[in-house]
Amino acid sequence: MREDVELRDVTAENRQAVAGLALDPAQQDLVASNAESLDEARFDPDARPRAIYAGGRLVGFLMYDAGRPRAKSRAALIYRFMIDRRYQGEGYGRAALGKAIEEIRAIPNMRKISISYMPDNAIARRFYASFGFAEAGTDEDGEMIAELAL
């Protein structure tokens, strides 16, 4: 990976392109579609949809909730994260998650970040653990919740 990775707002100009990003067919059941996520964000004032760019090229999408702005202790939840199938394995996911953690860490009163994945997804488990996320148990949908203390 040679290009700089950055997180940008999802806007009217890039919304269709973000919605058009695709996972490998074997991964499609692991995360909601970007179109669904963007529709959800329209009605959720706490959702922060972010387009992932590398060298000016759109390569992925993530979305998180950073909690209520006036809370004395806040926790963020990254609940959508994907890299387009054409760009997987090139380090963009690692760079994007690092940028997301930096962005979330800069939010006042933030104390932790949570992320979820299927318990049998060993690749996700190792990936998130490499950033310091520790498994905290499963949620009501059977997904593993991992947390990063800030």
Side-chain angles (χ1 to χ4, degrees):
M1 181 188 67
R2 293 179 299 277
E3 303 95 351
D4 288 333
V5 171
E6 61 182 329
L7 303 181
R8 297 183 190 172
D9 291 334
V10 175
T11 64
E13 289 77 28
N14 66 6
R15 184 180 180 82
Q16 275 305 115
V18 170
L21 294 170
L23 289 169
D24 186 83
Q27 299 170 316
Q28 290 176 353
D29 292 337
L30 300 177
V31 67
S33 77
N34 293 350
E36 290 173 44
S37 297
L38 293 172
D39 286 345
E40 182 181 323
R42 286 182 174 174
F43 301 102
D44 182 355
D46 297 326
R48 296 186 186 196
R50 309 294 281 142
I52 302 167
Y53 282 84
R57 187 176 62 247
L58 179 65
V59 299
F61 171 73
L62 71 81
M63 188 161 71
Y64 66 91
D65 177 332
R68 297 292 170 186
R70 291 183 173 78
K72 289 183 180 179
S73 179
R74 296 170 72 177
L77 171 62
I78 299 172
Y79 57 101
R80 300 290 191 273
F81 182 37
M82 63 83 70
I83 299 297
D84 185 89
R85 65 181 175 208
R86 296 169 293 170
Y87 304 110
Q88 291 182 7
E90 297 182 32
Y92 298 128
R94 179 165 296 284
L97 184 59
K99 294 286 185 179
I101 291 169
E102 285 177 25
E103 184 174 295
I104 293 167
R105 183 173 274 145
I107 297 170
N109 303 322
M110 192 59 62
R111 62 180 172 79
K112 74 176 177 179
I113 302 170
S114 298
I115 198 159
S116 64
Y117 49 87
M118 297 308 295
D120 60 349
N121 188 337
I123 293 171
R125 174 178 282 122
R126 285 191 305 274
F127 178 70
Y128 296 126
S130 74
F131 282 88
F133 283 87
E135 293 183 342
T138 56
D139 66 10
E140 64 277 357
D141 296 323
E143 291 187 9
M144 179 59 66
I145 303 295
E147 298 176 343
L148 175 65
L150 300 177

